Amino acid sequence: MKPKYSSPEIRAGGFRTTRWSVVLLSARGEASGSQAALAELCRIYWYPLYAFVRYRGQSPQDAQDLTQGFFLHLIEHGTLARVDPLRGKFRSFMIACLQNYLSHEAESAQRLKRGGKVEFVSLDLQHAENRYRLEPVESLTPEKIFSARWAMALLGAAMNRLGSEYVAQGKTAIFEALKAFLDPINRKTLPPYEQAAAQLDVSVGAVKTLIHRLRKQYAAFVREEISRTVSDDADVDAEIHELCEALIAAEGWIMP
Amino acid sequence: MKEEFKDPQDRPGVEIGQREFCTCAACGTKFSVISDSGFCPVCVLHEALEGDQETSGKRDPELAERSLIEPPSVVRRFENYELMLDKDGRPIELGRGAMGVTYKAFDVDLRCPVTLKVISEKYVGDESARLRFLREARAAASFRHPNVASVFHLGRSGQDYFYAMEFVEGETLESLMKRLGLLEPKLALEIVTQVTAGLAAVHKQNLVHRDIKPSNIMVSLEGNVATAKIIDLGLAKAVAESQSETAVSIPGSFAGTPEFASPEQFAGVCVDIRSDLYSLGATLWDMLVGQPPFQGTSAELMHQHLHAALPTTQLDDVPQPVVALLEVLLEKDPAQRFQTPADLLKFMPTITEAIDLGRTITHQSLRKMSPVDLSAVTRRPAARPGPEKISVARLPVTGTDLFGREEDISFLDDAWANQHVNIVTVVAWAGVGKSTLVNHWLGRMATEDYRSAELVFGWSFYRQGTTGKSSSADEFVDAALTWFGDPDPRIGTEWEKGERLAKLVAHRRTLLVLDGLEPLQNPPGPQEGRVRDSSLQALLRELAAFNRGLCVLQRGCQSLILHITNAPLFCAVS
């Protein structure tokens, strides 16, 4: 599987360990690294924000414009500098900012094209719209839906990173052959271990060990991704629980 | 599962589409399967929890591999409930008791987690176990209370009986105590208050839980707010059970957990709600001290609960009002405790207030708050709104002091000690205190002779004004037959049943007390005083002839004619 967002910077791990609070602190000093780190965080979580705007009744085109505009607003209007990074989670911060932004924009009689020719984040907009059209979650609060989508985005980012790591270590074949085994429970059409062993030319016992490592690594990346969005390591578990709650409430209407 | 959806709000640009859903067998989350992964996002997130990370890190690689080798378990389904699986594909077991196994399950219709109790495989086909299981489910389902986990469905799937109850979030009090160590008195009292409220509901249904302890109390803490619920009514028992339900109790067997059981539970006699209050006292002790009041082997625990003074030196750091409360809850004599959970509930605010104000609470003030329930002590069946069903093994342990009756007590003692004495009648005018005398004597026997394996206490109630062919004595005989192990109490004439019961009783030194026989005697006339119930006639005749035990008859002053001529007969007239 080709990782969508792999880049030399990401593989080097320079941004991976950057907490959003650190990003914001740096943003005050306009350090270039922090901008890039924020850009990466925003890229991962762009879709939940887009979907939230769509949920508010905006057309696909307007939603794309508003989401882009929101990111620019974050950078250009000094929003980041006013945030106390030691409090709260990146998720809560983003949804609150977006809500404020949308309210403000709704009041504006004439909406201008946001972003101009500046493309802050490169995204597959058509793909996002396709996903959104398949997610009619109406009985939930928009915030819950947002959190569920956020969780899926986060898991996607961790999966991409897992793939990137394996690719970087020259283990693409292993990842491709074994990624189906990542979920221990809901494997639907799980290939036999023998098949994977033959594919990788190793013993069945070795395949099991490799799967075990892959699972552990994936869980570790998920945790690390979450830790980047909270101010304190102690908050990671609480964030996991909140995301789970949102996913359960979403009852499967959130696209993987 | 393919589900079709249509956007309810009919948003522009949204089309009707088709997608595939999957319900996670481990956590019950419904999730969408678009990609080929089919991952449950919630389970993946759970694996990233700190505890899980540590566990997986320390996990035995062999075990980890084995879990991979095992094929995914087939999800067992009980009607609309699916057992949830852990990450190794095994059902998530919440508990395992004598009767059944409790699982975390998922209601696929209502889409919520439930607790499912399934009768153990070894009991499948065992009729008495089935009855016991049904009794348990019915007892738990007979009421709803926020502090008791509700049972809402009883079903059968193939050969398996199961019932579904509310899934309670949080952790057991036992686990909370392990996590937090000693609990603050205020938190402990809050938990006790809520459990007491639950027990009040149990009591209202004429039930006894019989196994109140930290592992049977679920607690969820949100900030400073605690919510406590009683779970597992597996040992709950109706105070007055129907005949068929009584049949599934095991006479003489101990039910409960020794560290938290009441003296009367150890005595092997029937208990009432005051027993649960004792267990709650032991639980409160555990919360504040870190261990229940008594430690040791089962035999040592039994002796201590029955006879030893409370180790109050352990309570040096506990506020005095709580110490006073503990002392009353843990009174050996049920009559000296709070008589009902409602009484205790009334008293709880006084305790917390006294702690806040630094006041002390005396036992006298506690006594004022908990007037001894005289009706519960004297147990005059005729004066009570009679239980509808007969109950055997029901011994009122009164513990009340009796004055000036030493001679009568001594007489009964001698009769019990004398192997040749088979029947004693206690004859006196109404109101003299026949029942009180015998109750007191039985109470003493219960505490002093509980070790005797051959000692089975019996107490019968009969329905007043019984009409029709079946008398309450028939019910008593049927229940007693079952109690003593008769293969089928329904077989035979009344007379034959009486004979069979007498023979069963004769196998052991048995004390059988028949109180309030008057309604079962013939009215004045030629047959005056004769027991008109044929099964009782047979029972008494056989007892007099063969029994190695003692039958105590209590009745008014009219003479009682037994169909016996050569049996020793003792009368104690007070």
Side-chain angles (χ1 to χ4, degrees):
Chain A
M1 175 177 164
K2 190 182 171 188
K4 277 182 194 165
Y5 308 119
S6 66
S7 70
E9 293 82 8
I10 292 170
R11 283 203 299 272
F15 301 146
R16 286 292 170 194
T17 54
T18 311
R19 275 189 197 292
W20 86 280
S21 55
V22 178
V23 170
L24 293 182
L25 277 174
S26 305
R28 293 178 180 176
E30 297 185 346
S32 60
S34 68
Q35 290 281 349
L38 180 64
E40 196 211 332
L41 278 176
C42 291
R43 183 161 40 216
I44 293 172
Y45 300 109
W46 185 89
Y47 176 70
L49 295 162
Y50 166 81
F52 186 83
V53 180
R54 280 286 283 126
Y55 191 87
R56 300 271 294 240
Q58 300 294 339
S59 71
Q61 187 57 47
D62 281 350
Q64 288 168 19
D65 288 348
L66 280 164
T67 312
Q68 289 285 53
F70 169 65
F71 285 125
L72 282 177
H73 172 82
L74 279 183
I75 302 296
E76 292 173 352
H77 289 75
T79 312
L80 301 176
R82 293 196 297 272
V83 176
D84 177 359
L86 297 178
R87 289 171 179 272
K89 292 168 286 198
F90 185 53
R91 177 168 56 86
S92 313
F93 165 75
M94 290 299 263
I95 187 71
C97 282
L98 180 61
Q99 280 172 322
N100 286 339
Y101 175 77
L102 292 177
S103 302
H104 180 261
E105 287 300 298
E107 286 167 10
S108 173
Q110 192 177 9
R111 183 171 299 132
L112 300 171
K113 185 81 176 169
R114 278 102 194 148
K117 291 184 178 179
V118 180
E119 192 171 272
F120 176 64
V121 180
S122 168
L123 295 154
D124 182 352
L125 299 176
Q126 189 53 48
H127 174 67
E129 181 54 22
N130 289 342
R131 281 171 70 185
Y132 179 71
R133 286 165 65 179
L134 286 171
E135 292 181 4
V137 185
E138 307 302 341
S139 57
L140 294 161
T141 63
E143 290 75 17
K144 271 263 187 327
I145 301 167
F146 173 77
S147 298
R149 288 193 178 113
W150 183 279
M152 295 308 292
L154 182 149
L155 291 175
M159 179 64 86
N160 288 333
R161 182 166 170 214
L162 186 68
S164 302
E165 289 287 330
Y166 271 71
V167 170
Q169 293 170 29
K171 297 178 182 170
T172 313
I174 295 178
F175 180 75
E176 289 299 322
L178 303 182
K179 67 180 179 187
F181 293 93
L182 272 176
D183 185 350
I185 297 149
N186 293 298
R187 40 200 172 193
K188 294 179 68 200
T189 50
L190 199 60
Y193 291 120
E194 289 74 14
Q195 185 184 316
Q199 199 178 333
L200 295 172
D201 197 20
V202 295
S203 70
V204 171
V207 162
K208 288 171 200 156
T209 308
L210 288 170
I211 293 169
H212 183 58
R213 282 184 197 149
L214 190 70
R215 274 166 58 179
K216 272 179 69 179
Q217 185 73 64
Y218 183 37
F221 281 165
V222 168
R223 191 172 177 83
E224 205 176 303
E225 282 298 330
I226 294 170
S227 74
R228 296 173 67 213
T229 67
V230 294
S231 307
D232 194 318
D233 269 343
D235 298 331
V236 173
D237 281 358
E239 175 71 348
I240 289 177
H241 286 304
E242 265 187 52
L243 294 175
C244 286
E245 192 188 317
L247 282 167
I248 291 165
E251 291 198 316
W253 288 110
I254 302 301
M255 298 285 284
Chain B
M1 171 172 64
K2 294 268 183 190
E3 288 187 19
E4 199 174 14
F5 73 81
K6 188 172 183 180
D7 182 0
Q9 289 189 356
D10 197 24
R11 289 178 309 194
V14 174
E15 297 168 354
I16 296 171
Q18 225 179 29
R19 66 193 309 178
E20 197 176 350
F21 288 110
C22 190
T23 301
C24 175
C27 69
T29 303
K30 190 176 177 182
F31 63 96
S32 173
V33 185
I34 297 292
S35 69
D36 58 355
S37 69
F39 294 174
C40 167
V42 172
C43 285
V44 172
L45 280 168
H46 274 164
E47 287 225 355
L49 281 168
E50 193 167 33
D52 273 53
Q53 294 248 306
E54 283 168 9
T55 314
S56 62
K58 289 172 190 166
R59 222 162 128 189
D60 177 4
E62 280 293 312
L63 190 68
E65 283 194 10
R66 232 180 302 139
S67 77
L68 288 168
I69 296 164
E70 287 165 8
S73 302
V74 177
V75 177
R76 281 185 76 190
R77 190 161 174 158
F78 298 84
E79 292 183 11
N80 52 318
Y81 307 107
E82 274 182 7
L83 297 193
M84 291 189 179
L85 306 178
D86 64 15
K87 55 187 163 192
D88 293 326
R90 285 185 281 268
I92 301 171
E93 219 176 278
L94 301 173
R96 192 171 271 268
M99 286 296 300
V101 187
T102 314
Y103 298 102
K104 185 174 181 184
F106 187 73
D107 185 330
V108 294
D109 289 344
L110 294 174
R111 312 212 49 75
C112 61
V114 296
T115 302
L116 203 72
K117 187 154 189 179
V118 184
I119 193 166
S120 294
E121 281 176 16
K122 63 179 175 181
Y123 288 120
V124 169
D126 181 336
E127 183 67 6
S128 68
R130 188 183 67 82
L131 281 174
R132 209 158 124 208
F133 192 76
L134 294 182
R135 179 185 72 186
E136 175 182 322
R138 285 172 186 151
S142 61
F143 64 98
R144 293 274 184 279
H145 191 273
N147 298 113
V148 183
S150 307
V151 165
F152 46 77
H153 182 70
L154 174 68
R156 185 174 180 173
S157 173
Q159 283 199 304
D160 295 315
Y161 283 89
F162 66 90
Y163 65 80
M165 60 186 139
E166 169 189 5
F167 179 73
V168 184
E169 295 286 354
E171 57 188 321
T172 63
L173 176 57
E174 186 181 35
S175 148
L176 181 80
M177 282 153 51
K178 272 184 195 155
R179 197 160 58 79
L180 300 182
L182 299 188
L183 300 192
E184 288 294 319
K186 279 211 164 171
L187 175 59
L189 289 176
E190 177 57 32
I191 291 169
V192 164
T193 304
Q194 293 191 29
V195 174
T196 307
L199 281 178
V202 171
H203 179 51
K204 211 171 172 183
Q205 295 301 314
N206 211 22
L207 293 168
V208 191
H209 186 284
R210 299 201 299 168
D211 202 16
I212 292 291
K213 58 180 176 179
S215 59
N216 277 343
I217 297 167
M218 290 295 289
V219 181
S220 64
L221 277 180
E222 284 185 25
N224 293 326
V225 182
T227 309
K229 275 186 195 239
I230 300 170
I231 57 168
D232 197 355
L233 278 87
L235 291 176
K237 199 172 176 181
V239 170
E241 289 169 332
S242 73
Q243 167 191 329
S244 60
E245 287 167 338
T246 308
V248 295
S249 293
I250 302 163
S253 67
F254 173 81
T257 306
E259 282 82 358
F260 300 93
S262 67
E264 55 268 36
Q265 275 177 287
F266 283 110
V269 298
C270 199
V271 298
D272 58 27
I273 197 72
R274 295 173 296 179
S275 171
D276 285 343
L277 293 180
Y278 182 96
S279 302
L280 184 57
T283 302
L284 175 60
W285 189 295
D286 197 359
M287 284 190 261
L288 299 168
V289 176
Q291 60 182 37
F294 300 118
Q295 311 286 314
T297 62
S298 295
E300 288 165 348
L301 282 166
M302 179 163 72
H303 179 78
Q304 291 176 93
H305 278 288
L306 282 163
H307 304 294
L310 289 172
T312 45
T313 50
Q314 294 178 10
L315 303 175
D316 286 349
D317 297 328
V318 176
Q320 186 278 337
V322 184
V323 175
L325 174 66
L326 281 166
E327 285 174 345
V328 175
L329 286 172
L330 291 166
E331 281 280 2
K332 308 237 183 274
D333 179 355
Q336 302 301 314
R337 296 176 208 145
F338 290 94
Q339 295 302 294
T340 65
D343 287 346
L344 174 57
L345 268 184
K346 281 182 217 154
F347 192 72
M348 292 306 290
T350 315
I351 297 273
T352 44
E353 195 181 300
I355 295 174
D356 289 342
L357 300 174
R359 286 187 190 149
T360 57
I361 283 187
T362 61
H363 279 217
Q364 283 77 7
S365 63
L366 280 169
R367 295 274 172 270
K368 276 183 201 163
M369 294 294 293
S370 57
V372 171
D373 177 2
L374 290 174
S375 66
V377 171
T378 53
R379 303 263 182 192
R380 289 169 188 269
R384 292 159 59 90
E388 289 197 347
K389 299 285 184 183
I390 288 207
S391 167
V392 295
R394 180 171 164 70
L395 173 70
V397 182
T398 67
T400 49
D401 289 328
L402 207 62
F403 298 103
R405 306 288 285 271
E406 293 81 5
E407 200 177 324
D408 299 331
I409 293 287
S410 163
F411 177 86
L412 290 169
D413 280 343
D414 290 345
W416 174 245
N418 188 338
Q419 297 281 330
H420 300 292
V421 175
N422 289 10
I423 293 182
V424 169
T425 55
V426 182
V427 184
W429 294 110
V432 168
K434 302 182 294 293
S435 298
T436 306
L437 168 71
V438 177
N439 284 352
H440 179 84
W441 181 60
L442 290 175
R444 221 196 55 203
M445 295 275 280
T447 52
E448 291 179 3
D449 291 336
Y450 59 84
R451 287 186 186 84
S452 168
E454 291 181 87
L455 190 66
V456 176
F457 291 100
W459 189 265
S460 76
F461 288 111
Y462 56 79
R463 284 184 297 196
Q464 297 292 306
T466 304
T467 55
K469 282 178 73 179
S470 171
S471 80
S472 58
D474 297 334
E475 289 184 355
F476 162 71
V477 171
D478 286 357
L481 277 170
T482 311
W483 180 266
F484 287 108
D486 188 79
D488 192 346
R490 293 166 299 183
I491 296 173
T493 62
E494 297 310 307
W495 185 269
E496 287 165 348
K497 285 181 183 183
E499 285 184 322
R500 286 216 307 278
L501 177 58
K503 287 188 174 72
L504 285 168
V505 168
H507 286 303
R508 47 197 133 188
R509 180 103 176 115
T510 303
L511 179 65
L512 189 65
V513 176
L514 303 176
D515 192 5
L517 285 173
E518 290 86 349
L520 293 176
Q521 288 177 237
N522 283 321
Q527 301 289 312
E528 185 182 346
R530 186 169 172 178
V531 174
R532 65 180 174 182
D533 186 275
S534 54
S535 59
L536 281 188
Q537 282 180 26
L539 172 67
L540 292 171
R541 192 189 71 165
E542 296 293 319
L543 286 177
F546 307 110
N547 187 34
R548 290 169 54 226
L550 183 67
C551 179
V552 178
L553 309 172
Q554 296 176 75
R555 48 180 307 282
C557 272
Q558 291 167 314
S559 61
L560 178 72
I561 303 168
L562 301 175
H563 281 252
I564 44 178
T565 52
N566 56 352
L569 194 65
F570 287 82
C571 295
V573 182
S574 35

